[in-house]
Amino acid sequence: MVSLKNLSLREKIGQTYILEESTLFEMQDKDAFFANYQPGGIWFGSSVPTTCGNMREYADSINSCLKVPALFGGDAETGFGRGKAAGMSYLPCAAALGSTASEELSFE
C-alpha cells in the first residue's frame, strides 16, 4: 500500500482532481497519461453505454495504473439507466417524486 507521504508533490496534486471518464474513453494513450498524472478520482458521467460489470473492469484497469486507487463517482440521482449503464433502471428526479406528495412512493 502506498502512503500519501511517499508521493511526489506532482502526485499529491493529482490526488486533488477528479477526471471525467469520457476524457479517458477518448484518449489515445492512457498509459502515458497515467504515467504523468495520478488523478484522485474518476467521475462516470458520460453517455458512453456500459454495463455494471464493464464499469468494474474499467475501474480496475484504471486503478492498476495508479499508485493510490481512485475514488469513483457518478451523477446518478436518476439511476445509472440514463445512458450510464445498460440494463439499469432510470429513476425519476427528486422534483418528480416530490410532485406526487407521496411519502410511500418516495420511500420506494
Side-chain angles (χ1 to χ4, degrees):
M1 178 185 260
V2 174
S3 172
L4 291 177
K5 68 181 177 181
N6 295 332
L7 296 178
S8 69
L9 178 60
R10 182 182 189 94
E11 291 166 339
K12 288 176 183 175
I13 292 169
Q15 288 297 299
T16 67
Y17 72 87
I18 296 173
L19 185 68
E20 185 180 5
E21 60 86 25
S22 66
T23 304
L24 292 173
F25 187 78
E26 298 166 359
M27 235 178 248
Q28 297 296 322
D29 192 353
K30 292 179 188 80
D31 292 333
F33 175 82
F34 286 123
N36 289 314
Y37 305 102
Q38 294 280 306
I42 307 294
W43 183 66
F44 285 103
S46 72
S47 60
V48 178
T50 186
T51 65
C52 284
N54 288 349
M55 287 175 103
R56 177 59 188 238
E57 289 174 17
Y58 191 57
D60 288 346
S61 73
I62 291 170
N63 277 335
S64 71
C65 301
L66 300 174
K67 290 184 179 181
V68 177
L71 295 173
F72 289 85
D75 186 9
E77 71 272 6
T78 57
F80 270 104
R82 190 175 177 185
K84 295 183 180 57
M88 297 297 290
S89 297
Y90 174 74
L91 305 172
C93 67
L97 285 173
S99 69
T100 67
S102 169
E103 275 187 47
E104 184 179 337
L105 183 58
S106 294
F107 180 82
E108 290 300 318

